[in-house]
Amino acid sequence: MAGRVLLRGMLAGILAAFLAFGFARVVGEPQVDRAIAIEAAHDAAAGEPPEEELVSRRVQSTLGLLTAAVMYGAAYGGVFALAFAVAHGRVGRVSPRMLALLLAGAGFVAVVLVPDLKYPANPPAVGHAETIGMRTAAYFEMVVFSLCAMILSVLAGRSLLARMDVWSAWLCGGALFIVLVTVLQLTLPDISEVPADFPAALLWRFREGALGMQVVLWGALGLVFGALVNRMPELRGRA
């Protein structure tokens, strides 16, 4: 059964990735093109030669973006399926479809939303090359810590079920998560490298597009995976 659940997770992740790719092409890529144009204009004004493209922008925004999205979706779909298999039957008597939606929401909050509030996505022309390593490490630290905070909060909420009603137990677990991520947000360093002359509207729209792509990916993953596993009678019987 674990193999069947894993296969459905990867399939759901790939289907979700195609939807996310379509969203990124329509909403996100135009903002990237504008940001690249600004970066090229700054380089030209400074007398710097244009950087040589190892891969053309056309390939990056089509085949390259689709390949990355599919690989990302398949990987997250597989991990999502494993998390579902662990959680099923251990977090209350909920249907497989509802559990998938709850896991997708929790995954989006822990993996995307909380790290994005601290370190939002930046378009080209924002950020210094010499700080890439530091920015990447800080972001992934935020992701790991946020996931750990989510797991601890779920375990705390589950342990409280023996002492209080369901609503109060999970409310306490949610409050613990908020406290933990707030401490993390205050502990990790702030990074602000947006040039003063960078258009605020473009920065906002780029970040909207980046976050929207993740909303589409996680939302579709939860919906598609939930529909697939809800048809498995052995899972419905254990709910």
Side-chain angles (χ1 to χ4, degrees):
M1 185 183 70
R4 295 170 59 198
V5 171
L6 180 61
L7 181 61
R8 282 163 171 76
M10 297 181 68
L11 177 60
I14 292 172
L15 293 175
F18 276 100
L19 294 176
F21 167 76
F23 180 91
R25 281 287 298 161
V26 174
V27 178
E29 286 302 311
Q31 317 309 324
V32 175
D33 289 335
R34 295 186 183 99
I36 291 175
I38 292 174
E39 185 177 37
H42 285 175
D43 291 344
E48 299 178 1
E51 295 183 5
E52 182 181 356
E53 288 187 337
L54 298 179
V55 180
S56 70
R57 173 65 188 143
R58 181 177 180 181
V59 173
Q60 291 177 27
S61 62
T62 52
L63 183 60
L65 177 61
L66 178 60
T67 302
V70 169
M71 293 178 64
Y72 181 92
Y76 268 85
V79 174
F80 185 84
L82 295 177
F84 175 90
V86 171
H88 189 260
R90 295 181 174 88
V91 294
R93 298 185 64 83
V94 296
S95 68
R97 178 174 291 172
M98 179 57 66
L99 179 59
L101 290 175
L102 291 174
L103 282 177
F108 172 77
V109 170
V111 177
V112 179
L113 184 60
V114 169
D116 195 71
L117 291 174
K118 180 68 176 182
Y119 302 118
N122 285 327
V126 172
H128 304 301
E130 59 272 15
T131 64
I132 289 177
M134 183 267 290
R135 286 186 280 127
T136 303
Y139 178 81
F140 279 105
E141 285 177 8
M142 190 72 234
V143 172
V144 172
F145 292 154
S146 178
L147 274 172
C148 291
M150 179 65 74
I151 293 171
L152 288 174
S153 300
V154 171
L155 292 176
R158 185 170 178 268
S159 67
L160 291 173
L161 289 173
R163 306 178 186 177
M164 56 184 67
D165 60 272
V166 175
W167 172 256
S168 299
W170 291 118
L171 190 62
C172 290
L176 175 62
F177 177 75
I178 293 174
V179 170
L180 291 175
V181 298
T182 299
V183 173
L184 293 174
Q185 296 272 0
L186 296 175
T187 302
L188 290 175
D190 293 326
I191 300 175
S192 179
E193 298 182 347
V194 180
D197 60 345
F198 193 87
L202 175 57
L203 179 63
W204 176 255
R205 288 168 186 161
F206 176 85
R207 289 175 174 173
E208 278 186 326
L211 187 60
M213 180 180 175
Q214 294 288 344
V215 170
V216 172
L217 179 69
W218 283 92
L221 177 59
L223 290 170
V224 175
F225 181 78
L228 292 175
V229 295
N230 203 56
R231 299 180 179 181
M232 298 175 65
E234 60 267 44
L235 291 180
R236 289 201 304 270
R238 291 170 53 194

